[in-house]
Amino acid sequence: MFHFHRFHPTLIYLCLSFVVTAGCHNQKPDASSGGVKASEALATMQVPEGFKIEMIAAEPLISSPVDMEIDEYGRMYVVEMHGYPLDKSGTGNIVLLTDTNGDGIMDKRTVFKDNLMLPTGILRWKKGILVTDSPNIIYLEDTDNDGKADKVDTLLTGFGLTNPQHNLNSPVYGLDNWIYAAHEGVVKTRDYMEEFGDEGTEIYYPADSNAVRLPQNAGGRSVRFRPDHTQLEMLSSRCQFGQTFDQWGHLFGCNNSNQGYQEVIANRYFERNPHLLVSDATQSMSDHLDAAEVFPTTTNPDRQLLTNVGIMTSACGLTDYMGDAFPAPYNQHITFIAEPVSNLVHVDVLKDSGASFVASRILPNKEFLTSTDAWSRPVNMYVGPDGALYVLDYYRRVIESPEWLSDEVIAAGGLYDGVEQGRIYRITATNGAAAAWMKGLQLGDAKSTELVQYLSNKNSWWRTTAQRLLVDRADKSAVPALIAMTQQPASDVGRLHALWTLEGMGALGGEQIIAALKDSVAGIRENAVKLAELHLSTTPELVKPLLSLQTDPNHKVRLQLLLTLGFLNTPEAAQARNKLLFTDINDKWAQIAALSANSSQSASLLKEILNRYQNDVPAYASLVQRLTAMMGGSDSASVIHQLIEKSTATQSPKTERWQAAILKGLAQGMKNRKSSLSVSEADQQQLIKTFFTSPSNDLRRASFQLLKTTGISDTTVKAAVIAQAVAIASDPKQADEKRADAIDFISLGDATTHLPLLEKLIVPQEQLRVQLAALRTLNTIPSNEGAQYLIKQWPVMTTDVRDAAINVFLDNQDRMALLIDAMEKNKIQTTSVSFNTSVGLMQVRDEKLRERARKLFTRNQEQAKTINKEYQASLDLKGDPVKGKDVYMQSCAICHQMKGELGVAFGPDLSTIHNWKKEDMLANILDPNLSILGGYDLWQIEMNNGESIQGIIATETATAITVKSNGKMDRLINRQDVKSLKSLSMSPMPQGLEKNIDKQAMADLLAFLRQH
């Protein structure tokens, strides 16, 4: 046991109206001393008005914290993961922190358990704690009260051990009394197979050989389990690091590039119908992009080679705030997400949206918590018994995995800089009370009847802890009080938790469920339907009140009812399911829920849908496609024949849409069918006839999709119809939609012999749709001739065509080599490649190719360092953003805008570069051709009438392009009037801007651009 007397940093009250004030937030990391000293860290932090932030623990008391738990006695457990990114030697700890003198700052450290490999999460359970440490979930208990775990049991094992940021993590006690563990599955490694090549085994309880087992590594999905009952299940979703529930039990997860999604439908509903094809059971919630734009305040950000800039790229630690101690609008329906790469915590507010939610920003162009310190790495959060938000700062120089770093950064060392540092912050309302829990809690000693009263506490920590204790005790004397709580009108959450507590204790009766099904609160009715589902076989009297909810006004209640009724195989249940389905047919989740029931009713349901079909409601087509995909994957050859016949026989404008939907569904289902199924030559002929004769674009394409799956058996027929397709593709008098479909049709055979035709079609005079189809078919040719042609043709290809052409090069490693070679020779600009594609090229397995790609994509950075060294001095000058706005208006606004305002929308909106390093901004101002943003390069267009035009191609359609020239009206040009079109591979922005801007003015301009 170690005992430290900690410093007492002054509490900083940051109520600054979102404005950085002089003398605050100006601490700079000092690499020689390991970042900013803990005693000065608060001065780097910024939180919104109405909040205060304090540090409750820091090094040397703790280091590398990733998760925490406060138990019913007020004991604070912290998970220390020192081993990230590569050390598996057993340096991880669970430590107990204590405030011995009551000043609100932890000053005593007890190592509860050491020698853990890479621990990631913790949860209080029974008399000890559960810890996720792949490949295991372990139980630790201190049986002799010395502060150290002397009981160590492995509850579950078999999880993969790969990159630690993707390993098993974040155990959470659910409203339904299951423990949920976040898990993303195996992430393949190229360079560290020895350390992280373990892809896992079956997941199982090692102490019970007869208990349920999950497939290898749980199929890469999250899991839930109940150790007392040796129950274990896979979820329908996966989660990278950090999951959370809202107060009604909706599960939210996240990954590095998605700040929050909901698992809408649980896995148990998919398991009853394996023929239903659903690849994703989650709904992204953000209305400001999954990987949202972020607004850090970092003074000198440390950007790594393969890390995107300006957006959320390391989202983790998702936390639903239910502490009831924050000021509005932060007190209800709030989620926080950490973004350690950008040194911040983001906040959203959730609003109901049908079956799921929409997450919206509260703070425009601001974040909830930011630090100027590039070493500050918030990775997780915790809502305490005091309602405070606790933020765990991992505090590292480098947070990215080595496989996402340049070789130079790895060779320089520093991967573990900060490993002996770490901080925990407490954020509360400005007038928030001190953390009384630090003086100890006695909830664990409360009588069971007393615990029942805590189920109605407005802070979820007290509710969940009380429920867990009651379920663990299984004290039947508490049942009357719990039943009384289910009838408590003053507390919605009290009624909710009482119901689930009774369920966990095996004491919930049908009368309580029936009453809850009639509750005035939708969230309770939704949960009552889930509870009824657990008792359908033993309490049949629940069916009638369940069926009465089919007209419930709440969307989430109706969805849950639709899912639950899938377990009832009665005419009344089927009728209710149909009513619910057609009530919410525009919701894809209602469609999936309805189809998750027994597939034996597919034919009758399809008949019902077609009888009700409405051409002006697109949801009907998607429902038909989902249903026939299910049938295509499971039904007999005779059923498939009937569906093809139904879709290709008699056609009319009224039937074409559902006929196309049937064929698309069959194509999808048959492609994924486990056992092959042949389609007769007669049916193939019918599909071919439909392709060439149907006036419907949708039906024609759907016929092609199914033929692509089934193939054309007769080689003579295949040759003839492909020749027919070639004739159509070559005829410029045909409609561009029909030509494009004919080009796709050529891919049903060997397209190699038609390469000359495809090359002729990839020219700017051709319709965009035709060019894109030619690229798709060209990509099916095994040789690299097509890719070589694209390099030659690159200067005349427009942006939309280039974006599609890049995919041709990514098809195999030989083509990647051609692409890299072309970029090295400046035949193709590196800016033509998206960030994600560049990452893929820099991660390719071939060592030489990888090195060439990395040199390519860092070339601009190296060039930037040498551009106009005289102006490098402006980087060290203090800039004035107010004066910088004047510089912008004089020198930049003629071509650019900021957030759609302040200037002319000719070049890119400069608000998109606020996260760039100052060095990169400066280099691009001084040399506009250094890195031209895709879509903003200058083009030379020669017209058939001899006119020559220069400008940016703003938009393009199948028949025309729009050209923007600064100071002139936009011009719409018919493709047929274009003689030649060529990119000049240069920026329209004039060079020599520095002649009008001195070094101080440049510093001011940079300050203005970075704050926007």
Side-chain angles (χ1 to χ4, degrees), residues 389-408:
L389 183 70
Y390 292 84
V391 179
L392 293 100
D393 186 348
Y394 196 53
Y395 209 79
R396 290 287 185 94
R397 178 197 292 271
V398 177
I399 196 70
E400 291 87 349
S401 170
E403 286 194 283
W404 291 79
L405 303 176
S406 67
D407 293 340
E408 292 77 12

Side-chain angles (χ1 to χ4, degrees), residues 884-925:
K885 181 179 180 180
D886 294 335
V887 179
Y888 166 84
M889 295 302 297
Q890 293 168 10
S891 301
C892 308
I894 190 172
C895 293
H896 299 280
Q897 290 187 329
M898 298 288 287
K899 298 187 178 72
E901 301 175 344
L902 300 177
V904 177
F906 178 59
D909 192 306
L910 294 185
S911 64
T912 60
I913 68 170
H914 68 91
N915 278 310
W916 285 20
K917 289 183 178 181
K918 289 191 294 184
E919 294 87 341
D920 295 335
M921 285 186 182
L922 176 64
N924 280 273
I925 290 171

Side-chain angles (χ1 to χ4, degrees), residues 268-288:
R268 61 184 177 276
Y269 302 113
F270 295 123
E271 287 183 334
R272 66 191 178 191
N273 187 356
H275 303 299
L276 175 61
L277 299 177
V278 179
S279 61
D280 190 357
T282 66
Q283 176 72 53
S284 292
M285 299 186 294
S286 173
D287 64 2
H288 46 289

Side-chain angles (χ1 to χ4, degrees), residues 71 91 306 334 365 397 459 499 636 959:
D71 74 6
T91 57
L306 303 183
I334 297 297
N365 305 327
R397 178 197 292 271
N459 180 338
L499 287 165
S636 65
T959 59

Side-chain angles (χ1 to χ4, degrees), residues 455-475:
L455 297 178
S456 62
N457 195 288
K458 293 184 178 181
N459 180 338
S460 64
W461 183 93
W462 294 89
R463 299 197 302 270
T464 302
T465 305
Q467 178 176 329
R468 174 177 57 78
L469 292 171
L470 284 164
V471 172
D472 185 33
R473 292 180 186 180
D475 181 359

Side-chain angles (χ1 to χ4, degrees), residues 772-805:
L772 296 179
L775 281 169
R776 286 193 297 271
T777 299
L778 183 146
N779 200 20
T780 66
I781 297 174
S783 74
N784 293 329
E785 293 180 70
Q788 291 167 341
Y789 173 77
L790 294 180
I791 295 172
K792 177 183 175 182
Q793 195 73 352
W794 198 263
V796 303
M797 291 163 60
T798 59
T799 301
D800 286 350
V801 180
R802 287 178 175 181
D803 289 344

Side-chain angles (χ1 to χ4, degrees), residues 149-361:
D150 49 72
K151 182 178 181 180
V152 180
D153 289 333
T154 300
L155 288 187
L156 287 171
T157 191
F159 295 95
L161 180 58
T162 58
N163 187 324
Q165 61 178 295
H166 301 276
N167 283 345
L168 180 72
N169 66 89
S170 306
V172 179
Y173 191 88
L175 179 65
D176 57 4
N177 304 301
W178 286 72
I179 297 169
Y180 289 71
H183 183 231
E184 195 177 43
V186 170
V187 176
K188 299 286 186 180
T189 178
R190 183 193 65 243
D191 297 328
Y192 303 101
M193 281 297 295
E194 183 177 346
E195 294 89 347
F196 299 119
D198 179 1
E199 299 187 6
T201 64
E202 288 184 315
I203 310 299
Y204 62 96
Y205 286 96
D208 188 345
S209 59
N210 296 318
V212 64
R213 289 175 175 243
L214 299 182
Q216 182 181 15
N217 205 34
R221 287 183 277 165
S222 298
V223 301
R224 68 173 191 165
F225 59 101
R226 296 183 74 186
D228 281 353
H229 304 271
T230 58
Q231 290 177 290
L232 176 63
E233 295 179 0
M234 292 188 296
L235 303 189
S236 59
S237 62
R238 60 189 63 194
C239 177
Q240 186 168 349
F241 189 91
Q243 60 180 346
T244 192
F245 287 99
D246 74 355
Q247 69 175 6
W248 304 114
H250 301 116
L251 177 62
F252 306 137
C254 63
N255 60 46
N256 279 175
S257 56
N258 191 325
Q259 60 178 310
Y261 47 81
Q262 180 195 354
E263 181 184 278
V264 181
I265 296 181
N267 192 53
R268 61 184 177 276
Y269 302 113
F270 295 123
E271 287 183 334
R272 66 191 178 191
N273 187 356
H275 303 299
L276 175 61
L277 299 177
V278 179
S279 61
D280 190 357
T282 66
Q283 176 72 53
S284 292
M285 299 186 294
S286 173
D287 64 2
H288 46 289
L289 303 179
D290 295 343
E293 184 180 9
V294 293
F295 299 90
T297 59
T298 318
T299 303
N300 294 300
D302 186 10
R303 305 296 189 204
Q304 299 302 327
L305 175 63
L306 303 183
T307 298
N308 212 339
V309 177
I311 63 172
M312 202 163 282
T313 186
S314 58
C316 59
L318 183 65
T319 301
D320 190 296
Y321 179 76
M322 294 182 285
D324 194 52
F326 280 3
Y330 301 93
N331 203 37
Q332 290 186 323
H333 315 301
I334 297 297
T335 58
F336 292 100
I337 187 83
E339 170 58 24
V341 163
S342 295
N343 324 106
L344 58 84
V345 172
H346 178 80
V347 62
D348 282 328
V349 60
L350 297 184
K351 301 170 186 173
D352 254 337
S353 179
S356 187
F357 300 87
V358 169
S360 304
R361 285 187 184 276

